[in-house]
Amino acid sequence: MKIAIQLVCLLGSLLLLGRVAGDPRSKTVDLKCATQPEHNTTIFVPNFVAAMDSISEQIQRSGFGMAVNGSGPDTNYGLAQCYGDLSLLDCVLCYAEARTVLPQCFPYNGGRIFLDGCFMRSANYSFFEEYKGHEDKAVCNSTSRKDSTFKELVRKAVTRAVASAPNNRGYARAQEKVSGIGNQSVYVLADCWRSLNASLCRACLENASASILNCLPWSEGRALNTGCFMRYSDRDFLNKELGNSRSRETIIVIVVSVVSSVVVIAIGIVIGARIWKHRYIQKKRRGSNDAEKLVKTLNDSNLNFKYSTLEKATGSFDNDNKLGQGGFGTVYKGVLHDGREIAVKRLFFNNRHRAADFYNEVNIISSVEHKNLVRLLGCSCSGPESLLVYEFMPNKSLDRFIFDSTKGKALNWEKRCEIIIGTVEGLVYLHENSKNRIIHRDIKASNILLDSRLRAKIADFGLARSFQEDKSHISTAIAGTLGYMAPEYLAHGQLTEKVDVYSFGVLVLEIVTGRQNNTSKTSEYTDSIVIIVS
Ligand SMILES: *[C@@H]1O[C@H](CO)[C@@H](O)[C@H](O)[C@H]1NC(C)=O
Ligand SMILES: *[C@@H]1O[C@H](CO)[C@@H](O)[C@H](O)[C@H]1NC(C)=O
Ligand SMILES: *[C@@H]1O[C@H](CO)[C@@H](O)[C@H](O)[C@H]1NC(C)=O
Ligand SMILES: *[C@@H]1O[C@H](CO)[C@@H](O)[C@H](O)[C@H]1NC(C)=O
Ligand SMILES: *[C@@H]1O[C@H](CO)[C@@H](O)[C@H](O)[C@H]1NC(C)=O
Ligand SMILES: *[C@@H]1O[C@H](CO)[C@@H](O)[C@H](O)[C@H]1NC(C)=O
Ligand SMILES: *[C@@H]1O[C@H](CO)[C@@H](O)[C@H](O)[C@H]1NC(C)=O
């Protein structure tokens, strides 16, 4: 019975996603980090996280947020804004992406990120009334050159947008077209941060429009200014007027046979497993911070790898040994002196004073053993940066197969089915494992690795939990990958095992169809696979 309920839940979530069918335009256009490092990590990180949390709440209500937290040189000033044509749901999606990417600036004390749907900035001083600066620039897309008619249209539309935005809460859209032989259209979006008054907004847009017009005769240009964003294009990138988006909230009926077959497969797999209990992970796992004790534990432990050993094994993290980029760091292939092959993950975030906690976490994760989970062999927890050591998977990740028509042939239906079953078994083990329940939070094709016999092994589990629970850690409160994240998680941050079930559902659709769900990395104009199916 529970199984049936869970399947209904899964389908229900798929339906719910129909509501966010607008385009969040969550592709990063530009990320620019501050040039000064933070002053004191212990103070900076909690300030940053608190400011981001406060902005999160505001964004969900109004599409704009501003916050200040802390005092002294590590005070955090934050601002985020979605452009005026995004619905609130799309806005949350875009902001989630901005918030995931911006912390890459750490340990620098701030940064600004322009996405195509929203903007976010953080600094240690009040920049709310800044509207120009030497970072201001235009980014032109020089893939196609247009004629003089187009140039004229762009000038008209841009002028109109600049004139109307300042008195319209900083937001304007404009469209110009000629029909007939030329038959061309121009679309313009202009947006000032709502912290600016009308005259500063106008000043910003005037500068932005002057610099964007330098992109002509190219078909598209974006101005990335300190106080505003502007874009023109020959393609209609704007979302429908907000009034219309409500009609999307009607229930969409799933009739596609792919889904039915997924359900059949899923039932087959799930039988026998008593899974998906509604429970949050609330494990207390505070270890001793006693440094001496830690050093002793580390030296005695066979989990511990010397930093120099790993540095040597990977050829000093040579680019040629780079296997890929994971959620928490870059992964390199390494060969130990005894010939064993390993994968070494170099973590983005290095809080060395948290070495004890980190070590405890590694200890827990490495004790989780299952044939469908990538084995964590150990770490270098006390060296200059934090490294994790995993078993090496010669066939790399599933996404390299299913989204590649040539390599995809290596996976027949039987193999694909085996991979789906293997993934479920690994997930059930993570959720059910009585000692340490683990919600993965980032199930996706690139996190399913394949061993030499193409058996599925889930990678990257456990870390999200460790970063999530420690509020002082800079890793984002919302982790995961757009397109795979459950709607209720995105909207309310509710974290249960169902988050993994949803992502798994998306993954199954991908494995069956060979189509990649839209993520922030792919073209902004593709539809989510979930929407295509529904
Ligand atoms: C950072 O701030 C904490 C808390 O105020 C303090 O204990 C620590 O000594 C500071 N560290 C440095 C390097 O100043
Ligand atoms: C900073 O955030 C913390 C935690 O949310 C809060 O308790 C504190 O009041 C905030 N400080 C300021 C100056 O807003
Ligand atoms: C911002 O941080 C830098 C480097 O930590 C520091 O020198 C500067 O004084 C800080 N600015 C403010 C306004 O506190
Ligand atoms: C530039 O334009 C081309 C075609 O118009 C489009 O495919 C591409 O995605 C655009 N690039 C950016 C960064 O928008
Ligand atoms: C011009 O656009 C209209 C509709 O936007 C279309 O029906 C027509 O075929 C186009 N004409 C040319 C020459 O492209
Ligand atoms: C807008 O803000 C600037 C800077 O705070 C101020 O100098 C200016 O007088 C303001 N303009 C209006 C119209 O309020
Ligand atoms: C826009 O402002 C920036 C920074 O103040 C300045 O360097 C640039 O020349 C201005 N561009 C135009 C076209 O006015």
Side-chain angles (χ1 to χ4, degrees), residues 50 68-70:
V68 183
N69 198 283

Side-chain angles (χ1 to χ4, degrees), residues 46-51 53-54 67-71 75-76:
N47 287 351
F48 178 82
V49 172
D53 282 347
S54 162
V68 183
N69 198 283
S71 59
T75 311
N76 197 277

Side-chain angles (χ1 to χ4, degrees), residues 109-233:
N109 64 10
R112 52 179 96 177
I113 179 171
F114 284 89
L115 290 81
D116 263 336
C118 58
F119 169 81
M120 180 166 187
R121 178 171 177 192
S122 138
N124 75 341
Y125 70 96
S126 175
F127 58 85
F128 299 141
E129 291 196 335
E130 271 183 18
Y131 69 97
K132 62 175 184 179
H134 58 266
E135 286 96 350
D136 293 357
K137 65 176 175 186
V139 178
C140 309
N141 181 348
S142 30
T143 44
S144 81
R145 187 180 266 277
K146 312 289 282 190
D147 61 11
S148 57
T149 315
F150 181 78
K151 287 203 240 174
E152 204 41 52
L153 292 179
V154 171
R155 287 206 181 86
K156 265 200 215 161
V158 163
T159 309
R160 247 182 342 113
V162 173
S164 68
N167 301 319
N168 183 35
R169 298 223 299 165
Y171 160 67
R173 55 195 285 159
Q175 185 180 350
E176 290 284 341
K177 62 175 163 194
V178 285
S179 24
I181 317 150
N183 220 17
Q184 307 205 47
S185 292
V186 167
Y187 303 86
V188 169
L189 172 74
D191 234 299
C192 297
W193 315 152
R194 286 187 217 160
S195 56
L196 300 180
N197 65 23
S199 49
L200 296 183
C201 172
R202 183 170 294 109
C204 186
L205 289 177
E206 274 166 4
N207 181 293
S209 65
S211 63
I212 211 179
L213 290 177
N214 286 332
C215 281
L216 290 171
W218 298 114
S219 64
E220 182 162 44
R222 297 172 173 88
L224 315 179
N225 279 29
T226 305
C228 56
F229 173 83
M230 196 172 210
R231 175 177 177 187
Y232 78 79
S233 176

Side-chain angles (χ1 to χ4, degrees), residues 5 31 63 66 80 226 276 285 289 318 326 340 373 408 472 504:
I5 291 169
L31 169 68
M66 235 162 74
T226 305
W276 326 132
R285 27 146 222 114
N289 276 323
D318 193 302
R340 262 191 303 161
L373 300 176
S472 77
F504 171 72

